[in-house]
Amino acid sequence: MEENNSLVYGLEFQARALASQQAESNDVRFFVATQSLKPNNQLHVVDLNEDSSALRSRIFAHPLGEVWKLNASAHDPRLLASCYSWLKGTQIVMQAALLTLPESLESADGEQEFLAFAQVEKLATEGYGAEIRTTEFHQTDPNMLACVVDGKIVLFNRAEAATRVVAEINAKNVPKFTTGRWSHFHQGNQFIALHDCSVRSYDVRDPNHVVWTIDEAHSQLVRDLDCNPNKQCHIATGGDDGVLKVWDFRNTKEHVFARSDHHHWIWSVRFNTFHDQLLLSSGSDGKVLLTCAGSVSSEAPEAGSVAAGETESGSSGAAGGSGELREHLADGLLQTFDQHEDSVYGVEWSTADPWMFASLSYDGRMIISKVPKQYKYQILL
């Protein structure tokens, strides 16, 4: 697959739920689920053959309802969590379910249009709230789940025959969370949730304990966050103000990095798992942006290095005669990917190839792209 030749995968229905394969896999695989009002929603498992640059998909029926959020387990390559809505009489109801793919993704008779899940387990979220924002798998404990429901974080354990609720965090004076994510830090005992313009971290061992808070993290609603997997205490956030920010939550008063290159709401932000100076963001402006935040990454340049295109004195040009200076990727916007024609609700890095990522727009178009070679070589060399 050439860097300038993005691959486009089209779905029959509108979609906003995108996830990448997280568990052990050498394959570039993405999961996409549709959001149709009709009772024939689908989940697509899309694999990329890097040698032939061909996409292969297997389509599963998702009759439960229209999918709003999809997450993949970091421990079981066959396990997914779906947050969906369905019409119960005249009322729209939200539900969460664990979906297990069959061991073989091939159709038994070869003519079956849609495949069936090996198992579907609905989570008991009734009584906790109406709006389910996400169901997050724990990073290190394969049996632990967290479900964000209204202003609550409901913890589930899968260790027994049936998944059951083991704890509940009821945030005081918070009517509804926007979303949430397990912290990669502190042995995985904290869950970070977004509320309005603020970010809060809760200790799951003590439901009444708010570990830290970033008040007014954005001037408008915060829509997404991600944890830097390689640098302690660093998270990225994006919101309706169109600003991408990186925070060190040991100092919640001020961000350590910010870019305002989007022209509308930011819906998704993601750190690169291997090279965390690379950040992806997508938004309602129909764009996917690749940003470098090298100065606050785990690969931050040392003294004696210069940004690409600058000499030791800071002027542009070739670093002639300064062979000892190591060139590094400069902070800022690296690339704008504008092949989408609708709001881009999701963007995800591949866990098999650190230079490849997928983005999904509401019109049902998933595009798989690569980091341009010049930036790849500047990082590696």
Side-chain angles (χ1 to χ4, degrees):
M1 175 181 168
E2 295 297 324
E3 60 172 285
N4 297 324
N5 298 332
S6 298
L7 297 175
V8 180
Y9 180 81
L11 289 89
E12 183 181 355
F13 304 117
Q14 295 170 326
R16 63 191 297 157
L18 171 69
S20 64
Q21 176 83 70
Q22 296 295 315
E24 47 182 296
S25 175
N26 296 320
D27 301 324
V28 176
R29 172 175 288 179
F30 296 98
F31 305 100
V32 195
T34 62
Q35 190 181 40
S36 170
L37 292 173
K38 299 178 181 179
N40 51 354
N41 281 282
Q42 307 159 1
L43 186 144
H44 294 234
V45 181
V46 183
D47 291 330
L48 169 66
N49 185 320
E50 294 192 70
D51 295 328
S52 63
S53 296
L55 294 177
R56 184 186 183 191
S57 67
R58 285 85 157 186
I59 305 175
F60 287 79
H62 191 290
L64 301 170
E66 49 182 317
V67 185
W68 291 81
K69 189 76 166 69
L70 196 65
N71 288 309
S73 168
H75 308 280
D76 185 348
R78 297 167 51 208
L79 186 62
L80 299 166
S82 170
C83 297
Y84 59 93
S85 62
W86 57 287
L87 196 62
K88 185 179 181 180
T90 59
Q91 185 180 7
I92 295 178
V93 178
M94 294 203 74
Q95 183 76 44
L98 299 179
L99 312 174
T100 304
L101 302 177
E103 291 187 16
S104 173
L105 298 185
E106 306 303 326
S107 175
D109 55 15
E111 299 180 0
Q112 189 176 355
E113 183 179 6
F114 298 119
L115 300 173
F117 296 112
Q119 183 179 355
V120 176
E121 182 183 7
K122 296 180 181 179
L123 300 180
T125 54
E126 299 87 351
Y128 293 100
E131 291 190 30
I132 302 174
R133 295 298 188 177
T134 185
T135 301
E136 298 286 328
F137 292 99
H138 197 276
Q139 293 294 316
T140 56
D141 186 346
N143 294 317
M144 185 66 73
L145 298 164
C147 201
V148 178
V149 188
D150 285 352
K152 300 181 180 70
I153 302 165
V154 185
L155 304 180
F156 291 86
N157 193 296
R158 302 180 62 240
E160 300 176 6
T163 303
R164 64 183 183 87
V165 177
V166 292
E168 173 190 347
I169 298 173
N170 196 342
K172 298 176 182 177
N173 304 319
V174 178
K176 289 183 181 180
F177 288 122
T178 310
T179 190
R181 184 175 280 262
W182 285 101
S183 172
H184 287 208
F185 324 109
H186 305 105
Q187 292 78 49
N189 291 319
Q190 294 182 20
F191 190 87
I192 306 171
L194 304 181
H195 160 62
D196 198 19
C197 303
S198 303
V199 186
R200 297 182 182 184
S201 183
Y202 296 88
D203 191 327
V204 298
R205 298 164 298 180
D206 181 4
N208 297 317
H209 183 207
V210 178
V211 185
W212 53 263
T213 302
I214 304 176
D215 291 318
E216 304 301 322
H218 289 258
S219 60
Q220 298 179 47
L221 182 71
V222 193
R223 290 201 176 268
D224 198 24
L225 84 152
D226 195 22
C227 296
N228 187 329
N230 304 323
K231 188 165 185 179
Q232 285 285 326
C233 306
H234 275 217
I235 63 170
T237 59
D240 284 4
D241 54 5
V243 182
L244 166 69
K245 293 184 179 181
V246 177
W247 302 84
D248 183 335
F249 56 70
R250 292 169 295 189
N251 176 18
T252 59
K253 299 298 181 184
E254 190 173 359
H255 55 265
V256 296
F257 178 88
R259 294 288 303 185
S260 53
D261 299 302
H262 279 281
H263 299 111
H264 209 264
W265 304 347
I266 294 178
W267 279 93
S268 184
V269 293
R270 291 292 180 269
F271 279 104
N272 187 299
T273 308
F274 301 93
H275 306 286
D276 54 278
Q277 65 266 60
L278 297 179
L279 277 157
L280 286 172
S281 58
S282 66
S284 301
D285 53 5
K287 293 179 171 56
V288 176
L289 303 185
L290 176 65
T291 302
C292 177
S295 62
V296 294
S297 71
S298 64
E299 301 181 22
E302 300 174 357
S305 63
V306 294
E310 292 185 353
T311 63
E312 189 175 4
S313 61
S315 59
S316 293
S322 56
E324 296 180 2
L325 294 179
R326 184 178 181 275
E327 190 180 84
H328 66 85
L329 207 55
D331 283 0
L333 177 64
L334 298 180
Q335 188 91 358
T336 299
F337 299 86
D338 55 3
Q339 300 101 316
H340 289 285
E341 298 176 357
D342 207 336
S343 296
V344 186
Y345 284 121
V347 63
E348 296 286 348
W349 291 102
S350 165
T351 51
D353 184 336
W355 310 108
M356 196 170 294
F357 61 91
S359 53
L360 175 68
S361 53
Y362 189 58
D363 54 7
R365 175 185 291 187
M366 182 182 74
I367 299 179
I368 298 178
S369 310
K370 296 195 79 170
V371 174
K373 285 182 179 177
Q374 68 263 35
Y375 304 131
K376 173 181 175 180
Y377 293 148
Q378 279 182 253
I379 291 173
L380 294 178
L381 301 179

